[in-house]
Amino acid sequence: MKDYPDKMTREQARRFGDDVLNIVGQIPRGRVTTYGIIAALAGWPSHARMVGRTLRYTPGAEAMPCHRVVNSVGRTAPGWAFQRTLLEREGVTFRPNGHVDMSRHLWQPQ
């Protein structure tokens, strides 16, 4: 197994999870952000996949606006067709290829 220089300790992973949930809770209605942006805001820019795992496996995360998190090109989560419906209800528009129109709806906090 490859050893990554930016591997997290348990305490760092706990803080990362808390930060991810805090950031997701701030995404405004009608806007989206990406796993990568959240990871960078949490201080671990190379851990975008861990953002997805955090949102999927943290008890109580389903109460967060997780549907507002998409990948870097605006693609919704595989296997979660209802995500698009939730976003459309908030006024998020999609391009003909089925991806979120990131030029209109991307949220990047200052």
Side-chain angles (χ1 to χ4, degrees), residues 47-89:
H47 286 65
R49 287 186 177 176
M50 193 168 171
V51 170
R53 288 186 203 110
T54 299
L55 296 176
R56 181 172 183 164
Y57 296 113
T58 300
E62 65 276 357
M64 305 294 297
C66 299
H67 63 283
R68 297 178 186 151
V69 182
V70 296
N71 78 1
S72 62
V73 295
R75 196 168 48 231
T76 56
W80 189 19
F82 194 57
Q83 182 179 12
R84 180 176 175 141
T85 302
L86 292 169
L87 290 170
E88 287 175 330
R89 286 179 184 170

Side-chain angles (χ1 to χ4, degrees), residues 14-15 18-19 29 36 44-45 58 69 86-87 104 110:
R14 185 194 61 72
R15 272 196 314 257
D18 291 345
D19 290 345
R29 183 176 176 80
W44 294 84
T58 300
V69 182
L86 292 169
L87 290 170
R104 293 184 62 195
Q110 301 304 335

Side-chain angles (χ1 to χ4, degrees), residues 2-109:
K2 185 175 179 181
D3 187 30
Y4 292 93
D6 59 350
K7 190 174 180 180
M8 291 183 186
T9 65
R10 286 180 191 238
E11 177 58 26
Q12 289 170 321
R14 185 194 61 72
R15 272 196 314 257
F16 177 83
D18 291 345
D19 290 345
V20 166
L21 296 177
N22 182 34
I23 293 163
V24 170
Q26 296 177 46
I27 305 169
R29 183 176 176 80
R31 304 296 295 266
V32 298
T33 198
T34 69
Y35 299 101
I37 289 171
I38 293 171
L41 290 170
W44 294 84
S46 65
H47 286 65
R49 287 186 177 176
M50 193 168 171
V51 170
R53 288 186 203 110
T54 299
L55 296 176
R56 181 172 183 164
Y57 296 113
T58 300
E62 65 276 357
M64 305 294 297
C66 299
H67 63 283
R68 297 178 186 151
V69 182
V70 296
N71 78 1
S72 62
V73 295
R75 196 168 48 231
T76 56
W80 189 19
F82 194 57
Q83 182 179 12
R84 180 176 175 141
T85 302
L86 292 169
L87 290 170
E88 287 175 330
R89 286 179 184 170
E90 295 184 358
V92 174
T93 57
F94 286 77
R95 300 173 57 115
N97 65 3
H99 298 180
V100 170
D101 184 345
M102 299 296 275
S103 65
R104 293 184 62 195
H105 302 287
L106 180 63
W107 176 73
Q108 295 187 69

